[in-house]
Amino acid sequence: MLRSLALGMMVALSLTASGPYSVARAESSIAGRYTYTGTDTDGSAYDGAGEVVVTKAPSGAYEIVYDGGAYTGVGQVTGDTFSFASMAEGKNSISIGTIRPDGSIVTRWWRYKDNGSKGTETWVRK
């Protein structure tokens, strides 16, 4: 009985924290300034790097501001996934990113009515 209980506890703990990089660490460390690079939905590379700032709003959601307000969005963290919606060039877009242990974020993104689905971004903390 004790062996079964101990095994169950070990499995439960392994599902809630993946090694030294836990879900709590991922969520608490998302706010900050990042440099980003990426590709548009057609796969063409961005002209250069930009800046994105992530802050936690009073609602608990995260506010995303690209390049001083050129694009804005709202997002949530679930585990090591950062999902957010934004407006880009008057079109709705959605991004799904993975928060890496080093604090960088790698996303795939899609914009409503764009041809192509090759939008990507890599965010590196400043």
Side-chain angles (χ1 to χ4, degrees):
M1 174 72 172
L2 284 176
R3 183 180 284 176
S4 296
L5 183 58
L7 180 60
M9 292 288 288
M10 287 174 30
V11 169
L13 287 172
S14 71
L15 292 174
T16 58
S18 55
Y21 190 67
S22 68
V23 171
R25 181 170 168 223
E27 185 168 348
S28 69
S29 65
I30 190 80
R33 293 180 175 277
Y34 299 83
T35 298
Y36 72 90
T37 56
T39 59
D40 211 334
T41 54
D42 64 4
S44 62
Y46 291 174
D47 291 337
E51 181 184 62
V52 63
V53 178
V54 179
T55 56
K56 194 155 191 175
S59 67
Y62 289 91
E63 179 182 27
I64 298 94
V65 178
Y66 279 88
D67 301 322
Y71 308 122
T72 60
V74 62
Q76 283 290 346
V77 172
T78 305
D80 66 352
T81 301
F82 181 42
S83 303
F84 61 96
S86 61
M87 290 294 291
E89 298 173 10
K91 300 175 188 173
N92 295 321
S93 67
I94 187 165
S95 300
I96 301 172
T98 300
I99 305 165
R100 293 181 169 173
D102 67 1
S104 64
I105 302 171
V106 177
T107 72
R108 295 217 37 218
W109 66 274
W110 302 265
R111 189 167 39 218
Y112 185 63
K113 293 191 177 183
D114 271 9
N115 292 327
S117 59
K118 298 178 182 172
T120 62
E121 287 185 351
T122 300
W123 298 7
V124 177
R125 189 176 295 276
K126 287 186 162 188

